Amino acid sequence: MSFANTPQPPYYAVIFTSQRTESDEQGYGKVADLMVELASKQPGFLGVESVRDEHGLGITVSYWATLESIKLWKENMDHRMAQNKGKSDWYASFVTRISKVERDYSFYR
Amino acid sequence: MSFANTPQPPYYAVIFTSQRTESDEQGYGKVADLMVELASKQPGFLGVESVRDEHGLGITVSYWATLESIKLWKENMDHRMAQNKGKSDWYASFVTRISKVERDYSFYR
């Protein structure tokens, strides 16, 4: 995964910080990949950036055109099943923050 | 590093996504630690979450009380020296996004 190619602000960012448990690495990986694939087909999806380190701490930021598109993705049935599995098995803890991107700038060599 | 203990929204998030070069691992690590230490002493600093994976892709999200506090940290002289070194040596590319957190929710076991 790499940088999201987002449009000019304003747009929305969902910042999802999480600590993985040590359980079910394979099942988690498959579903995480599937969720990115499904999210990318949702109306209003603009991109995603995701990093997890060797201690299981991760930050995933997904970008969206509107608050409504975030709400629809949150309520998506497949996503809800994954959310439940996240709470029961995959995550020791997480924080989700919904934010509005007002400004951005980038640097490329 | 772990979760930032942020207050009730609204507050601001600076989402910094970056790809490290392969140069100067030791120098980078020292200055990165120092910048977290300096930022945490700035007025308006609320916390930071940071993850980098084995491919050098990183996401650092710092949280701030106001846009003014973000501006002051951006202009801090030590931070500006680090920013210059980041562009000349440490980062192949980066994107900075300034956003306003409107809602958050968390899960802990």
Side-chain angles (χ1 to χ4, degrees):
Chain A
M1 202 167 293
S2 187
F3 293 82
N5 187 18
T6 44
Q8 288 278 90
Y11 53 86
Y12 290 86
V14 178
I15 306 163
F16 179 75
T17 307
S18 63
Q19 179 62 53
R20 277 276 285 127
T21 59
E22 285 174 10
S23 79
D24 191 24
E25 186 57 43
Q26 202 177 9
Y28 173 76
K30 276 186 194 170
V31 173
D33 290 348
L34 180 62
M35 287 306 115
V36 169
E37 193 187 321
L38 288 180
S40 70
K41 292 174 184 165
Q42 290 279 309
F45 176 85
L46 301 175
V48 63
E49 294 168 346
S50 190
V51 178
R52 189 169 303 280
D53 70 15
E54 70 274 24
H55 309 294
L57 183 67
I59 301 177
T60 297
V61 190
S62 58
Y63 301 100
W64 300 87
T66 64
L67 286 174
E68 178 64 20
S69 56
I70 293 170
K71 186 162 175 278
L72 286 173
W73 172 235
K74 191 184 178 193
E75 291 168 356
N76 173 284
M77 281 309 289
D78 294 318
H79 188 202
R80 283 175 74 156
M81 284 195 291
Q83 288 170 52
N84 289 337
K85 187 82 174 153
K87 286 186 183 176
S88 65
D89 286 25
W90 292 326
Y91 296 121
S93 50
F94 63 75
V95 181
T96 305
R97 296 177 173 95
I98 315 286
S99 72
K100 183 178 188 178
V101 177
E102 302 182 346
R103 229 151 21 94
D104 60 16
Y105 44 93
S106 52
F107 166 77
Y108 296 94
R109 275 178 202 281
Chain B
M1 200 166 295
S2 186
F3 292 82
N5 188 15
T6 44
Q8 288 279 89
Y11 53 87
Y12 290 86
V14 179
I15 306 163
F16 179 75
T17 306
S18 62
Q19 178 63 52
R20 276 277 283 124
T21 58
E22 286 174 12
S23 81
D24 192 23
E25 186 56 45
Q26 202 177 9
Y28 173 76
K30 277 186 192 168
V31 174
D33 291 347
L34 180 62
M35 286 307 113
V36 169
E37 194 187 322
L38 288 179
S40 68
K41 292 174 183 166
Q42 290 280 308
F45 176 85
L46 301 175
V48 62
E49 294 167 347
S50 190
V51 178
R52 190 170 300 282
D53 70 15
E54 71 274 22
H55 309 295
L57 183 68
I59 301 177
T60 297
V61 189
S62 59
Y63 300 100
W64 300 87
T66 63
L67 287 175
E68 179 64 18
S69 56
I70 293 170
K71 187 162 174 280
L72 286 173
W73 171 237
K74 191 184 179 192
E75 291 168 355
N76 173 284
M77 281 309 290
D78 294 320
H79 189 201
R80 282 175 72 156
M81 285 197 290
Q83 288 170 52
N84 288 337
K85 188 81 172 152
K87 286 185 183 177
S88 66
D89 287 25
W90 291 327
Y91 296 123
S93 50
F94 63 74
V95 181
T96 305
R97 295 178 173 96
I98 316 286
S99 73
K100 183 179 188 176
V101 177
E102 303 183 345
R103 230 154 15 97
D104 60 17
Y105 45 93
S106 52
F107 165 79
Y108 295 93
R109 273 175 205 279

